[in-house]
Amino acid sequence: MGGRVLLQKGKLMMFRKISLIMAFTYGLIIIVTIALLNVILVYTYQENQIAKNEDKYVQYAKIIANIAKDELEDTMTLNGIIRENSRGIEGRVLVLTGEGKVLADNYTYYIGKYVSNTEIIKVLAKEQKAIGYYIEDNRHIMTAVVPIVQNRGSRSLVLISTYVDWLFEDIRELRNQAAIISILAAILAIVLSYVFGKRISGPVEKLTKASEDILNGKLDTKVDIQRADEIGKLAETFNKMSEELYKIDTNRRRFISDVSHELKTPLTSIKALIESLIDGNNEISVYKEYLGDINGEMDRLSLLVKSLLTVTRLEELELKREPVSICAEVESITKLFTPLLKQKDINLEVICAEEVTIFADRGMFREVLINIIDNAIKYGKYNGNIIVNCGKAEKAYLKVSDNGIGIDEKDLPYVFDVFYRADKSRRRDTGGSGIGLYIVRKIIELHGWSISVKSEAKAGTEFLIEFSD
Ligand code: ADP
């Protein structure tokens, strides 16, 4: 039982490594292919060589048969002719009667003796040629027998036998060479496949390790894989992903700490106000004043919480895009601000060069307008001007400019950051929480639009939104 489990585990381990799987698979494919190829090659070569050799000796035998056919009566002359004509042939040449009696032998020895073998019997049985192979004293011998055709119809024969060790030696050598080549090719295939497999599995292991690190909270983990192929691309994407994760996490932490800080300030002042009321024996007017302050802080707190809820909602909400007319929305929103405008005696002018329709989430677009126009009023000066301008140039655009207090150059890059307020001391008068433009930026990003700001301290500010289709 235990043994089987171990074996199974072993098997699994091997097939868990890409490099080993590749080495095994390609090695096997190469071994099978080369082995098959070699068998076919060796077999074809063998058949070819044997056939060629047989043809050659049958041809010799036929020539001898042709020469011998008129000299069968005279053994002396026949032997002379056979010796003469066998010189070029490496082997024994016999001429036999139909009874197997040797009439001529190029080496004389068999003359007058009787010889028989399977090939002789076959040719006597009217076959046109017969070839056989024998092993004698560990040597390979080939025998070719053909008939001597005479007019009288009686059958005599020519038999040639020759050593063919070279033929089998050749084939054996070829077979050995093929086997060596097969083994070398298989080893090469296994080694190369293993190396290539490692080239894949190495980075995969690195990526797995890095993913585990990320899983364990090390969000800024990077992998060092410099390659131009798909794995390099994967590593690059992985690094970008971890960078993004790290950024998101850092932002989240900063956001939480900022929120806590923002909540702490009004809570601390509320507590201080309440404590001084509890401790002191105050006039009713002091109570009223302090409670008014507490009420103010409470308003700010609920505004802050409302804005925070909007931010969280934004993270979860899906855009519900629909055709929205910029001019119509601007008109409708500016109406909401009439009391505020009156309060500061600000003149708001709307210039809609042409009717422009964008594809937007109406609610979110209104939120953007509200925040930007609200800021223009909040940071605008008494008796000032605000111009809302929309139209279409290269892209549809919306501009909101005021001639208010402006933003200092050093603050300008940060105005879209969460909780960023250009002048923190002004918080009390304006009631700003520094979330408005952050919400605006998020909505703009969600839609794929762009927003920019130009401003000069004490001169005024201009926000420009460019809509993309
Ligand atoms: P807040 O609630 O403080 O207005 P916002 O995110 O809307 O927060 O704006 C961030 C900061 O940018 C503001 O505190 C203010 O300093 C600056 N700001 C925004 N709009 C204007 C403007 N039209 N003129 C001058 N300063 C502006």
Side-chain angles (χ1 to χ4, degrees):
M1 251 323 254
R4 224 168 63 203
V5 172
L6 258 178
L7 192 74
Q8 286 248 313
K9 268 191 186 161
K11 259 192 204 168
L12 284 175
M13 278 307 287
M14 167 164 178
F15 288 105
R16 270 191 210 151
K17 293 245 173 223
I18 294 177
S19 47
L20 291 179
I21 296 173
M22 279 184 76
F24 180 78
T25 317
Y26 289 115
L28 199 69
I29 293 173
I30 300 272
I31 290 170
V32 171
T33 316
I34 292 189
L36 271 178
L37 213 71
N38 283 341
V39 166
I40 294 168
L41 269 178
V42 170
Y43 183 76
T44 317
Y45 176 80
Q46 180 176 339
E47 289 296 296
N48 214 335
Q49 287 299 92
I50 290 176
K52 253 196 206 160
N53 199 52
E54 287 177 358
D55 277 358
K56 188 169 120 188
Y57 279 90
V58 167
Q59 215 52 42
Y60 284 153
K62 278 185 179 166
I63 292 167
I64 300 285
N66 211 24
I67 296 167
K69 81 169 181 232
D70 299 324
E71 308 296 340
L72 292 173
E73 306 301 328
D74 181 352
T75 322
M76 278 284 282
T77 321
L78 181 66
N79 271 290
I81 291 171
I82 295 299
R83 258 200 310 278
E84 190 60 31
N85 287 282
S86 306
R87 269 195 197 129
I89 304 170
E90 286 168 26
R92 183 150 226 140
V93 181
L94 303 180
V95 177
L96 312 154
T97 65
E99 289 75 37
K101 187 182 175 197
V102 178
L103 293 179
D105 174 0
N106 60 341
Y107 292 108
T108 325
Y109 177 76
Y110 280 108
I111 300 172
K113 293 193 170 117
Y114 281 84
V115 178
S116 178
N117 66 16
T118 325
E119 288 68 47
I120 294 174
I121 294 163
K122 277 186 188 164
V123 172
L124 284 176
K126 300 266 183 299
E127 281 192 23
Q128 284 312 302
K129 63 174 183 188
I131 292 156
Y133 287 88
Y134 299 91
I135 295 176
E136 247 173 49
D137 300 331
N138 266 336
R139 298 201 63 185
H140 291 269
I141 297 169
M142 182 196 78
T143 306
V145 180
V146 298
I148 300 175
V149 185
Q150 285 174 298
N151 298 335
R152 280 175 285 139
S154 76
R155 242 176 199 237
S156 303
L157 317 159
V158 172
L159 178 151
I160 300 185
S161 63
T162 178
Y163 287 117
V164 285
D165 293 320
W166 62 271
L167 189 63
F168 291 93
E169 202 51 51
D170 261 14
I171 290 164
R172 192 178 325 130
E173 214 164 275
L174 188 71
R175 226 180 262 152
N176 288 346
Q177 276 171 5
I180 291 171
I181 290 172
S182 306
I183 291 167
L184 285 180
I187 292 174
L188 195 71
I190 290 171
V191 170
L192 283 183
S193 310
Y194 183 76
V195 171
F196 280 120
K198 266 267 173 236
R199 260 182 74 75
I200 297 176
S201 65
V204 170
E205 273 165 23
K206 268 192 195 171
L207 281 163
T208 312
K209 165 91 184 48
S211 307
E212 278 166 4
D213 285 350
I214 287 187
L215 200 65
N216 292 331
K218 268 185 75 189
L219 294 182
D220 57 340
T221 307
K222 298 263 165 56
V223 282
D224 180 22
I225 300 171
Q226 308 289 342
R227 279 163 63 156
D229 55 10
E230 291 91 334
I231 290 182
K233 190 100 200 85
L234 177 65
E236 198 185 312
T237 317
F238 181 91
N239 286 343
K240 276 188 195 151
M241 183 194 76
S242 77
E243 210 174 291
E244 201 54 34
L245 274 177
Y246 182 70
K247 242 192 253 164
I248 291 172
D249 190 56
T250 318
N251 283 345
R252 188 181 56 90
R253 283 168 202 263
R254 193 182 310 139
F255 188 78
I256 292 172
S257 118
D258 287 351
V259 168
S260 319
H261 185 76
E262 289 297 318
L263 289 173
K264 206 177 141 226
T265 324
L267 283 175
T268 317
S269 56
I270 289 172
K271 192 168 164 50
L273 287 165
I274 292 175
E275 273 170 1
S276 56
L277 284 181
I278 294 171
D279 291 347
N281 205 347
N282 302 305
E283 297 283 315
I284 190 90
S285 60
V286 177
Y287 277 104
K288 273 194 175 168
E289 189 199 329
Y290 279 26
L291 284 174
D293 287 347
I294 291 172
N295 199 29
E297 291 296 340
M298 294 299 268
D299 282 348
R300 211 186 319 286
L301 266 180
S302 57
L303 196 78
L304 182 67
V305 171
K306 202 176 140 228
S307 307
L308 285 174
L309 282 175
T310 312
V311 172
T312 12
R313 231 186 44 233
L314 272 182
E315 310 274 327
E316 290 157 6
L317 266 188
E318 283 218 1
L319 286 184
K320 285 200 210 85
R321 287 192 190 237
E322 57 182 311
V324 173
S325 153
I326 302 182
C327 300
E329 293 307 322
V330 169
E331 293 288 350
S332 141
I333 297 288
T334 47
K335 260 192 210 125
L336 299 177
F337 285 103
T338 319
L340 267 182
L341 289 166
K342 266 203 185 130
Q343 245 179 44
K344 277 185 100 169
D345 205 8
I346 292 177
N347 172 45
L348 187 141
E349 194 183 344
V350 178
I351 308 170
C352 271
E354 60 179 297
E355 182 63 49
V356 184
T357 305
I358 52 166
F359 208 57
D361 184 303
R362 188 186 301 276
M364 290 197 193
F365 180 55
R366 286 172 74 87
E367 186 89 34
V368 169
L369 287 177
I370 291 172
N371 274 302
I372 292 182
I373 296 172
D374 183 48
N375 278 350
I377 299 171
K378 249 189 331 195
Y379 305 109
K381 61 178 181 199
Y382 282 87
N383 237 327
N385 286 312
I386 296 175
I387 301 170
V388 182
N389 189 333
C390 62
K392 189 159 185 158
E394 217 171 284
K395 288 176 181 169
Y397 66 87
L398 172 81
K399 248 189 244 173
V400 179
S401 33
D402 63 66
N403 58 351
I405 59 167
I407 305 167
D408 222 67
E409 211 182 319
K410 69 170 177 22
D411 294 313
L412 214 49
Y414 309 107
V415 287
F416 293 104
D417 289 358
V418 69
F419 298 127
Y420 195 86
R421 289 177 290 263
D423 183 354
K424 298 199 165 43
S425 63
R426 269 203 311 265
R427 195 173 69 94
R428 276 192 166 267
D429 339 321
T430 58
S433 60
I435 297 186
L437 285 184
Y438 176 70
I439 292 176
V440 167
R441 191 188 83 193
K442 284 270 164 197
I443 295 177
I444 298 283
E445 278 171 2
L446 278 175
H447 282 82
W449 303 332
S450 68
I451 184 161
S452 56
V453 56
K454 271 199 293 196
S455 186
E456 200 180 315
K458 297 194 180 76
T461 308
E462 177 185 288
F463 283 93
L464 168 69
I465 301 174
E466 285 181 294
F467 304 94
S468 44
D469 309 317

